[in-house]
Amino acid sequence: MTYIGRFAPSPTGPLHQGSLVAAVFSFLDARAHQGIWRVRIEDLDPPREQPGAADAILRTLEAHALLWDEDILYQSSRLEAYAEAMTALRHKGQAYDCGCTRREIAASGLAGLEGPVYPGTCRQGLAPGRVPRALRVRTHDDPIGFHDRHHGLVSQCLGREIGDFVIRRADGLTAYQLAVVVDDAFQGITHVVRGSDLLDSTPRQIHLQRLLALPTPVYLHHPLVLDGNGDKLSKQTHAPAVDSTAPLTNLAAVMGFLHLPLPPDWRDATPAALLDHALAHWPFRT
């Protein structure tokens, strides 16, 4: 099987060390399998995006010899495809309008993996006087399981642990879960390598793949880079941007995090040579 992987950052700020780990991990795994590595810019949330962040991310990847294959896909160019997927789900009776507010959902008292579980208030239709806000997809309690290349067997009962989830937000923007499923299929992605913070999202994506008759990739969710408080490095916690003028130092830190050996003369190497050395010792080849 041809291996097609991807790195899909959101342009809400520059790359930090945690996102560089994600990029290197997915890049090395694709190259270890003689595969294709694509870059997708997930620019679906304009209020959170920083001007120039997408270009800055691409320049940072280039500075670290993380060179992608084929053209970059921008999700902002794919709105029609997402609308078609929502229409298809509606026609199948698998998606419905929801008029509930976050406060109303929280007041239901049903706790799940990622906050309150939607209680199904609008499943049978909107109550009189309510107007549509979000669009939700129906879930069920049959376990959805998959084998993760790092975590092993993962299983989740969406109906009980997540609830009917949003695929179009109240502000009209396409939700991440739907967009990523539609675009992974469009790009022919066979292997998804990303951080473990997205592990719990995967059953939702598999649910959508099945409803839309789309293929399910092979998944690998790698460990996260944490800060001194044990929190994930992120733009929300003000993780510093990667210094693109020091690619060797940055790559050496990534290799240390991934427990990959450094060559003795790494300070005199090129970024491409460091990546080649890491590739020669890549452990995730199955």
Side-chain angles (χ1 to χ4, degrees):
M1 179 175 65
T2 301
Y3 181 117
I4 303 176
R6 46 76 160 176
F7 175 58
S10 299
T12 53
L15 291 187
H16 52 73
Q17 193 68 12
S19 47
L20 183 63
V21 165
V24 171
F25 208 118
S26 61
F27 175 86
L28 290 177
D29 199 61
R31 294 296 183 250
H33 292 88
Q34 294 79 49
I36 294 168
W37 189 64
R38 292 178 169 157
V39 169
R40 179 168 74 226
I41 300 295
E42 299 196 332
D43 54 344
L44 275 183
D45 197 347
R48 294 183 60 239
E49 292 166 18
Q50 287 187 11
D55 286 342
I57 288 170
L58 298 178
R59 300 296 81 79
T60 299
L61 294 177
E62 289 177 328
H64 292 79
L66 298 168
L67 306 180
W68 54 90
D69 301 308
E70 305 175 356
D71 293 336
I72 296 165
L73 181 70
Y74 291 82
Q75 285 192 324
S76 56
S77 70
R78 298 274 298 149
L79 302 185
E80 185 176 343
Y82 309 144
E84 290 174 355
M86 293 179 207
T87 298
L89 291 169
R90 280 187 185 274
H91 286 168
K92 293 180 178 182
Q94 296 295 339
Y96 61 90
D97 290 318
C98 174
C100 300
T101 65
R102 290 185 180 182
R103 180 177 296 180
E104 289 169 335
I105 297 168
S108 69
L110 300 175
L113 283 177
E114 296 183 354
V117 173
Y118 181 67
T121 308
C122 301
R123 260 192 164 221
Q124 305 307 318
L126 293 173
R130 300 305 296 264
V131 296
R133 289 172 55 84
L135 183 67
R136 293 183 180 273
V137 67
R138 297 180 187 274
T139 58
H140 52 71
D141 272 330
D142 295 335
I144 294 179
F146 68 99
H147 180 82
D148 185 85
R149 291 169 58 204
H150 178 68
H151 293 270
L153 179 63
V154 178
S155 182
Q156 196 178 96
C157 294
L158 288 179
R160 184 172 66 251
E161 298 179 75
I162 298 294
D164 295 350
F165 57 91
V166 170
I167 54 175
R168 191 195 65 235
R169 297 172 9 185
D171 58 9
L173 298 179
T174 303
Y176 164 77
Q177 306 294 356
L178 180 74
V180 71
V181 163
V182 171
D183 286 341
D184 279 347
F186 175 72
Q187 293 190 285
I189 302 301
T190 62
H191 291 70
V192 172
V193 175
R194 59 191 181 188
S196 292
D197 55 323
L198 291 169
L199 183 67
D200 286 339
S201 288
T202 306
R204 272 169 278 180
Q205 293 167 21
I206 293 174
H207 180 57
L208 286 171
Q209 289 157 1
R210 292 173 179 174
L211 292 178
L212 294 167
L214 301 176
T216 295
V218 176
Y219 290 96
L220 189 161
H221 291 83
H222 60 75
L224 302 174
V225 181
L226 306 179
D227 63 18
N229 297 319
D231 297 321
K232 170 198 168 187
L233 282 186
S234 69
K235 293 150 190 166
Q236 288 73 29
T237 58
H238 309 293
V242 167
D243 180 1
S244 292
T245 66
L248 293 177
T249 301
N250 298 332
L251 289 173
V254 171
M255 291 174 67
F257 177 79
L258 298 178
H259 305 292
L260 298 171
L262 281 169
D265 58 347
W266 69 268
R267 295 182 187 277
D268 298 319
T270 64
L274 266 190
L275 290 173
D276 285 343
H277 186 83
L279 187 59
H281 296 85
W282 190 243
F284 297 93
R285 295 183 182 270
T286 59

